[in-house]
Amino acid sequence: MRKHPLRKFSGLLVLYAVVIIGIFVIQFKTQSLISQSINDLSVTIYQKEDENHNLSLTGRFRAEYKGLVFYADEETSVEAVSPFGGKRPLSLVAWEKTDSGFKMEFTGGTVLVLTADKKAENGIKFSIDALFGDNVNSIFVPYRLNENATPDSSTRNRISLFAKDGLFALYAGEFVDSKMHLSKTEPRAYFTSYNPVQKFTFDQITGFPGTDAETYEANVKLLRQESLSKLQSVLSSSQSDVVSENEMAVYVAEMASVNKFNEALDSVPSSFRRGTKRTYFTAPYFASLVEMDETLVMQNDNIMSMVDNAISTRNADIFSMDGITDFILREKKTQRVKNLLTMPGYISDFSPNLVQAGAILKVYAQLSVSAKEQAALLEPLLSRCIEEIEDNCSLKDDSFTLSFNGNKAGTLLYAEIGSALLAGAPVLNRSDLAEAGRLLINTALVEVQQFDWRTLSQLYPLIVTDNRFYPHQQILGYYGSRPVWVWTCADVSGYTMDEEGTVSINIDFPLGLTNYLIFKGVPTFHAKIEMQGIMFRTDPRFETYNSSGYVYKAETGTLFIKSRHKSQKELVRLFCDPVTSFSFN
């Protein structure tokens, strides 16, 4: 044994080599990989071979771009998140090379499109776009850096890194625990050159003075006080005749919020009540419902015409039009609204300006409450809208500025964009949007005590969104695709229907006060209506009596109601024919 140690060692070495080589031979006989590249993007796909020598994907892959690696292996996979929050792994089931990158399909139909473009005019050299399968709201994609890149810094939605040819950043919806989060609201990740001085993101102002809720609430309170004070002053002066209808609505609504509704009505000049300034807008305060309904019909027709024109010309300015969300909610079951909401997606390389970006974000947030299916049509635009708002913000020497067309934005635009961010924050679960929204509005209101009544009245409906006494639309339900809705300054609820077709409506307004309502889309009730427990007859002079009353126009399904409250909640019952087509959504 001791005479030939070298021979023994050599024999063992040969044996181990044979075993190791055998393992590799077996492995490579049953597994193989495909590697392809295009424009600095390289992708490796792993395959396996069965006993019949057929190749299939293992589900593993690796995609590399300038030191960034996106991958799935035996331990880590791409994960899908359902609408209810549940997670499940996804496996790569198909792939193909495209003219500018690669397309990867996963179980359930989710797709990742990887695009590399060295000559991209917008500076985005690499992007990943997610297309989501059924019951998938978002996905998590594992990532890491390889030896060709070193980390620089990171935020919630950005990681910056040094590669061999400079400083770059990858932007996505979120980066969590070495995974990139892509969702229907933010389905794109993109890679671009990074200048930490120039690029602003909302997370940079976290904790910045003016982002806190306390300062915001104090400023909103001051806005309401100043609005009321200065409108009271002008109404008691010789200038009372120049107060517009919108300004009058602010005055009455704010007075009502401090329990001075009747005092507000009494102080409105008779010239305004009888004049030509009035439309449907203030009809809930000042009556003349049948006459004012003509202006409501005209307004709705004008909006519909403008929507049709915007669709045909592909003009996204339509989303910033007053009343557009109300229109979408009324017509949400129509092809017209679907065409409207998908229209921006058909604009080549759609890039919204600041006003369009804020408007689309706000419409999305408002639709998300009761029209989620319609809101989803705007989701692919949200990341671009938020990015556009960020691109117009800057933070320098502790000074925060919003710009538009190269100049500092005006007070109203600060408020419009701020209100859009505040509306979007809870829907998107983005605290940074809420902080940015509060900062913008606080900046707009920094000199609120110096504003005149006109500016205050313009700011009021943008910022004060919780005063139910301000005239507003409420959707009560749908008969098929036809909406039932009301224009009101009260809180209208219910619109429940029993098996016999009897409709119950609740009108909530302070005890002893009177308000006026215009209902649209109400089916015939054969002149059988009950209010305050009493059957009422129609009377064209119903507004002149010291009681509740109504008029109904069967040809348009319009119901006009004067509601004089003997209790805070008044019940109205309509004895309609039974139907099966009614739904709340």
Side-chain angles (χ1 to χ4, degrees), residues 16-30:
Y16 291 151
V18 170
V19 171
I20 292 171
I21 292 171
I23 292 172
F24 275 102
V25 168
I26 294 172
Q27 181 178 2
F28 281 101
K29 186 177 180 181
T30 58

PDB file of all heavy atoms in Angstrom, residues 16-30:
ATOM      1  N   TYR A  16     -12.365  10.265  -9.917  1.00  0.00           N
ATOM      2  CA  TYR A  16     -13.183  11.450  -9.627  1.00  0.00           C
ATOM      3  C   TYR A  16     -13.500  12.232 -10.894  1.00  0.00           C
ATOM      4  O   TYR A  16     -14.613  12.748 -11.079  1.00  0.00           O
ATOM      5  CB  TYR A  16     -12.463  12.363  -8.635  1.00  0.00           C
ATOM      6  CG  TYR A  16     -12.344  11.781  -7.244  1.00  0.00           C
ATOM      7  CD1 TYR A  16     -11.284  12.135  -6.416  1.00  0.00           C
ATOM      8  CD2 TYR A  16     -13.305  10.885  -6.751  1.00  0.00           C
ATOM      9  CE1 TYR A  16     -11.167  11.612  -5.136  1.00  0.00           C
ATOM     10  CE2 TYR A  16     -13.194  10.349  -5.480  1.00  0.00           C
ATOM     11  CZ  TYR A  16     -12.121  10.708  -4.673  1.00  0.00           C
ATOM     12  OH  TYR A  16     -12.013  10.196  -3.416  1.00  0.00           O
ATOM     13  N   ALA A  17     -12.505  12.324 -11.764  1.00  0.00           N
ATOM     14  CA  ALA A  17     -12.720  13.058 -13.015  1.00  0.00           C
ATOM     15  C   ALA A  17     -13.799  12.406 -13.854  1.00  0.00           C
ATOM     16  O   ALA A  17     -14.644  13.076 -14.457  1.00  0.00           O
ATOM     17  CB  ALA A  17     -11.412  13.152 -13.797  1.00  0.00           C
ATOM     18  N   VAL A  18     -13.754  11.078 -13.909  1.00  0.00           N
ATOM     19  CA  VAL A  18     -14.769  10.353 -14.676  1.00  0.00           C
ATOM     20  C   VAL A  18     -16.158  10.586 -14.103  1.00  0.00           C
ATOM     21  O   VAL A  18     -17.135  10.804 -14.839  1.00  0.00           O
ATOM     22  CB  VAL A  18     -14.434   8.847 -14.704  1.00  0.00           C
ATOM     23  CG1 VAL A  18     -15.600   8.044 -15.278  1.00  0.00           C
ATOM     24  CG2 VAL A  18     -13.175   8.589 -15.507  1.00  0.00           C
ATOM     25  N   VAL A  19     -16.260  10.559 -12.746  1.00  0.00           N
ATOM     26  CA  VAL A  19     -17.564  10.772 -12.103  1.00  0.00           C
ATOM     27  C   VAL A  19     -18.089  12.172 -12.395  1.00  0.00           C
ATOM     28  O   VAL A  19     -19.254  12.369 -12.757  1.00  0.00           O
ATOM     29  CB  VAL A  19     -17.451  10.537 -10.581  1.00  0.00           C
ATOM     30  CG1 VAL A  19     -18.757  10.984  -9.892  1.00  0.00           C
ATOM     31  CG2 VAL A  19     -17.166   9.086 -10.282  1.00  0.00           C
ATOM     32  N   ILE A  20     -17.225  13.187 -12.224  1.00  0.00           N
ATOM     33  CA  ILE A  20     -17.654  14.569 -12.442  1.00  0.00           C
ATOM     34  C   ILE A  20     -18.068  14.782 -13.885  1.00  0.00           C
ATOM     35  O   ILE A  20     -19.106  15.390 -14.183  1.00  0.00           O
ATOM     36  CB  ILE A  20     -16.528  15.544 -12.043  1.00  0.00           C
ATOM     37  CG1 ILE A  20     -16.323  15.495 -10.521  1.00  0.00           C
ATOM     38  CG2 ILE A  20     -16.858  16.961 -12.489  1.00  0.00           C
ATOM     39  CD1 ILE A  20     -15.102  16.248 -10.037  1.00  0.00           C
ATOM     40  N   ILE A  21     -17.239  14.278 -14.812  1.00  0.00           N
ATOM     41  CA  ILE A  21     -17.565  14.425 -16.227  1.00  0.00           C
ATOM     42  C   ILE A  21     -18.872  13.719 -16.548  1.00  0.00           C
ATOM     43  O   ILE A  21     -19.707  14.203 -17.312  1.00  0.00           O
ATOM     44  CB  ILE A  21     -16.422  13.881 -17.102  1.00  0.00           C
ATOM     45  CG1 ILE A  21     -15.189  14.790 -16.958  1.00  0.00           C
ATOM     46  CG2 ILE A  21     -16.843  13.799 -18.555  1.00  0.00           C
ATOM     47  CD1 ILE A  21     -13.946  14.220 -17.615  1.00  0.00           C
ATOM     48  N   GLY A  22     -19.080  12.573 -15.917  1.00  0.00           N
ATOM     49  CA  GLY A  22     -20.325  11.837 -16.143  1.00  0.00           C
ATOM     50  C   GLY A  22     -21.546  12.625 -15.692  1.00  0.00           C
ATOM     51  O   GLY A  22     -22.579  12.630 -16.369  1.00  0.00           O
ATOM     52  N   ILE A  23     -21.397  13.293 -14.551  1.00  0.00           N
ATOM     53  CA  ILE A  23     -22.511  14.104 -14.051  1.00  0.00           C
ATOM     54  C   ILE A  23     -22.840  15.211 -15.037  1.00  0.00           C
ATOM     55  O   ILE A  23     -24.004  15.474 -15.371  1.00  0.00           O
ATOM     56  CB  ILE A  23     -22.175  14.690 -12.665  1.00  0.00           C
ATOM     57  CG1 ILE A  23     -22.112  13.566 -11.619  1.00  0.00           C
ATOM     58  CG2 ILE A  23     -23.190  15.757 -12.266  1.00  0.00           C
ATOM     59  CD1 ILE A  23     -21.610  14.017 -10.258  1.00  0.00           C
ATOM     60  N   PHE A  24     -21.782  15.888 -15.535  1.00  0.00           N
ATOM     61  CA  PHE A  24     -22.013  16.959 -16.503  1.00  0.00           C
ATOM     62  C   PHE A  24     -22.614  16.434 -17.792  1.00  0.00           C
ATOM     63  O   PHE A  24     -23.481  17.063 -18.407  1.00  0.00           O
ATOM     64  CB  PHE A  24     -20.689  17.682 -16.809  1.00  0.00           C
ATOM     65  CG  PHE A  24     -20.372  18.773 -15.816  1.00  0.00           C
ATOM     66  CD1 PHE A  24     -19.447  18.564 -14.808  1.00  0.00           C
ATOM     67  CD2 PHE A  24     -21.016  19.996 -15.888  1.00  0.00           C
ATOM     68  CE1 PHE A  24     -19.159  19.559 -13.897  1.00  0.00           C
ATOM     69  CE2 PHE A  24     -20.725  21.000 -14.981  1.00  0.00           C
ATOM     70  CZ  PHE A  24     -19.798  20.784 -13.971  1.00  0.00           C
ATOM     71  N   VAL A  25     -22.165  15.277 -18.215  1.00  0.00           N
ATOM     72  CA  VAL A  25     -22.697  14.692 -19.450  1.00  0.00           C
ATOM     73  C   VAL A  25     -24.176  14.405 -19.296  1.00  0.00           C
ATOM     74  O   VAL A  25     -24.990  14.701 -20.176  1.00  0.00           O
ATOM     75  CB  VAL A  25     -21.933  13.400 -19.817  1.00  0.00           C
ATOM     76  CG1 VAL A  25     -22.664  12.646 -20.921  1.00  0.00           C
ATOM     77  CG2 VAL A  25     -20.518  13.728 -20.254  1.00  0.00           C
ATOM     78  N   ILE A  26     -24.535  13.808 -18.146  1.00  0.00           N
ATOM     79  CA  ILE A  26     -25.951  13.499 -17.905  1.00  0.00           C
ATOM     80  C   ILE A  26     -26.772  14.777 -17.856  1.00  0.00           C
ATOM     81  O   ILE A  26     -27.855  14.877 -18.430  1.00  0.00           O
ATOM     82  CB  ILE A  26     -26.108  12.699 -16.591  1.00  0.00           C
ATOM     83  CG1 ILE A  26     -25.458  11.322 -16.748  1.00  0.00           C
ATOM     84  CG2 ILE A  26     -27.575  12.580 -16.215  1.00  0.00           C
ATOM     85  CD1 ILE A  26     -25.386  10.539 -15.455  1.00  0.00           C
ATOM     86  N   GLN A  27     -26.217  15.778 -17.143  1.00  0.00           N
ATOM     87  CA  GLN A  27     -26.956  17.035 -17.019  1.00  0.00           C
ATOM     88  C   GLN A  27     -27.173  17.688 -18.369  1.00  0.00           C
ATOM     89  O   GLN A  27     -28.274  18.117 -18.708  1.00  0.00           O
ATOM     90  CB  GLN A  27     -26.214  17.985 -16.088  1.00  0.00           C
ATOM     91  CG  GLN A  27     -26.940  19.311 -15.881  1.00  0.00           C
ATOM     92  CD  GLN A  27     -26.206  20.208 -14.913  1.00  0.00           C
ATOM     93  OE1 GLN A  27     -25.143  19.867 -14.419  1.00  0.00           O
ATOM     94  NE2 GLN A  27     -26.781  21.359 -14.641  1.00  0.00           N
ATOM     95  N   PHE A  28     -26.113  17.810 -19.157  1.00  0.00           N
ATOM     96  CA  PHE A  28     -26.244  18.484 -20.443  1.00  0.00           C
ATOM     97  C   PHE A  28     -26.973  17.641 -21.465  1.00  0.00           C
ATOM     98  O   PHE A  28     -27.450  18.145 -22.472  1.00  0.00           O
ATOM     99  CB  PHE A  28     -24.861  18.877 -20.973  1.00  0.00           C
ATOM    100  CG  PHE A  28     -24.316  20.119 -20.306  1.00  0.00           C
ATOM    101  CD1 PHE A  28     -23.367  20.021 -19.309  1.00  0.00           C
ATOM    102  CD2 PHE A  28     -24.800  21.367 -20.651  1.00  0.00           C
ATOM    103  CE1 PHE A  28     -22.886  21.158 -18.687  1.00  0.00           C
ATOM    104  CE2 PHE A  28     -24.315  22.511 -20.043  1.00  0.00           C
ATOM    105  CZ  PHE A  28     -23.354  22.396 -19.044  1.00  0.00           C
ATOM    106  N   LYS A  29     -27.073  16.354 -21.187  1.00  0.00           N
ATOM    107  CA  LYS A  29     -27.861  15.517 -22.073  1.00  0.00           C
ATOM    108  C   LYS A  29     -29.343  15.762 -21.868  1.00  0.00           C
ATOM    109  O   LYS A  29     -30.146  15.660 -22.779  1.00  0.00           O
ATOM    110  CB  LYS A  29     -27.531  14.044 -21.820  1.00  0.00           C
ATOM    111  CG  LYS A  29     -28.219  13.097 -22.810  1.00  0.00           C
ATOM    112  CD  LYS A  29     -27.805  11.674 -22.569  1.00  0.00           C
ATOM    113  CE  LYS A  29     -28.486  10.720 -23.558  1.00  0.00           C
ATOM    114  NZ  LYS A  29     -28.114   9.323 -23.335  1.00  0.00           N
ATOM    115  N   THR A  30     -29.721  16.140 -20.619  1.00  0.00           N
ATOM    116  CA  THR A  30     -31.135  16.351 -20.307  1.00  0.00           C
ATOM    117  C   THR A  30     -31.496  17.833 -20.239  1.00  0.00           C
ATOM    118  O   THR A  30     -32.665  18.174 -20.186  1.00  0.00           O
ATOM    119  CB  THR A  30     -31.484  15.688 -18.960  1.00  0.00           C
ATOM    120  OG1 THR A  30     -30.638  16.244 -17.941  1.00  0.00           O
ATOM    121  CG2 THR A  30     -31.265  14.192 -19.027  1.00  0.00           C
TER     122      THR A  30
END
